[in-house]
Amino acid sequence: MTIQGQSLKSQKEEKRIRMIQAAYELFSEKGVYKTSIDDIAKSAGVAKGTFYLYFADKTEIWEAVVVDISNRILTQAKKELERKSLPDMIERILFVADFTIEHFKKNLDDLKIVQRNFSWPLVLRKMNEAQDNTLLQMLEQCFCSPYLSRYTIEEAYRMMFLIVEMVGSICYTSILLEQPAPIDQMKPVLFHTIRKILI
């Protein structure tokens, strides 16, 4: 690729990032439903037509924001996990679940935007498209564990899917709505359930 081509590519990526950041700020301030594409384009300093060169609609930019938040949480969790050097796979999974819960407790705006969608089908698809392998590396480590060796990859994937969906849903209902109980009361139940799924 020529220097000019690289420069054009970086300008395009910079515009895309600006729009995602603008959407994040507006979604935090006004909510997803009350934010318009006009609002996002204006806040990002781009024409509305430029928005459509990058995103098909508001749902697509919201997905990009959700992936950005999810990727940030998983990347930070992975770094902390590497520092801790926990040898047991179940303890590693519980650590990531706890890290995610604690992140959302401290960052309610993130949780309000993500809603119940801290779920990996979307995140995994988008990370694959972006060639970001944070989640894939974490999954590979889990799948290599003796705990999951008796399962096929597909069965192990479904179990991990269930755990991620459960954590995302419990975060939303227990942190934002305190239903069926506040998150600190739900954590022991959640972690006990995750252990039962994996053992």
Side-chain angles (χ1 to χ4, degrees):
M1 184 182 286
T2 66
I3 292 173
Q4 186 179 8
Q6 287 175 340
S7 175
L8 187 60
K9 188 177 178 183
S10 65
Q11 284 173 11
K12 281 183 164 185
E13 186 56 23
E14 188 265 328
K15 275 185 191 172
R16 184 178 182 281
I17 290 167
R18 259 194 358 245
M19 285 186 277
I20 291 171
Q21 287 171 340
Y24 175 83
E25 287 163 18
L26 288 163
F27 293 162
S28 298
E29 181 187 321
K30 297 170 68 169
V32 176
Y33 301 107
K34 291 183 181 175
T35 300
S36 69
I37 289 171
D38 282 331
D39 294 335
I40 296 167
K42 186 176 177 184
S43 180
V46 300
K48 188 174 178 181
T50 302
F51 175 92
Y52 288 108
L53 293 174
Y54 294 83
F55 304 100
D57 52 26
K58 189 168 71 171
T59 299
E60 198 168 292
I61 197 167
W62 169 75
E63 286 182 353
V65 172
V66 168
V67 168
D68 191 57
I69 292 168
S70 302
N71 192 24
R72 193 164 16 97
I73 294 168
L74 290 169
T75 300
Q76 289 167 357
K78 185 171 179 279
K79 281 180 187 170
E80 284 300 307
L81 195 55
E82 285 165 356
R83 267 188 350 95
K84 295 268 181 199
S85 299
L86 297 171
D88 184 74
M89 185 209 65
I90 292 177
E91 293 308 313
R92 291 199 305 266
I93 289 170
L94 291 174
F95 176 86
V96 172
D98 190 58
F99 188 95
T100 302
I101 291 166
E102 292 303 314
H103 174 90
F104 283 134
K105 278 172 62 178
K106 294 177 202 149
N107 299 277
L108 292 180
D109 284 342
D110 284 2
L111 184 54
K112 286 174 187 170
I113 292 168
V114 169
Q115 298 167 14
R116 297 172 194 268
N117 296 289
F118 186 79
S119 61
W120 81 20
L122 168 66
V123 175
L124 190 58
R125 176 169 50 86
K126 293 291 182 180
M127 284 183 179
N128 279 338
E129 289 169 10
Q131 296 177 332
D132 184 321
N133 60 6
T134 302
L135 182 56
L136 290 174
Q137 287 173 1
M138 292 173 86
L139 290 176
E140 282 171 9
Q141 287 173 2
C142 289
F143 293 158
C144 291
S145 164
Y147 288 106
L148 297 181
S149 62
R150 63 188 185 272
Y151 300 106
T152 66
I153 291 291
E154 195 171 285
E155 288 168 336
Y157 176 89
R158 287 176 187 155
M159 285 170 47
M160 297 305 292
F161 172 88
L162 178 65
I163 291 167
V164 173
E165 291 291 319
M166 209 167 34
V167 170
S169 186
I170 293 293
C171 280
Y172 184 82
T173 55
S174 291
I175 294 173
L176 290 182
L177 309 175
E178 296 197 339
Q179 293 297 324
I183 190 64
D184 289 330
Q185 291 174 29
M186 287 302 296
K187 259 207 252 188
V189 179
L190 176 64
F191 292 175
H192 177 74
T193 305
I194 290 171
R195 285 182 190 280
K196 288 282 190 187
I197 289 168
L198 293 170
I199 291 174

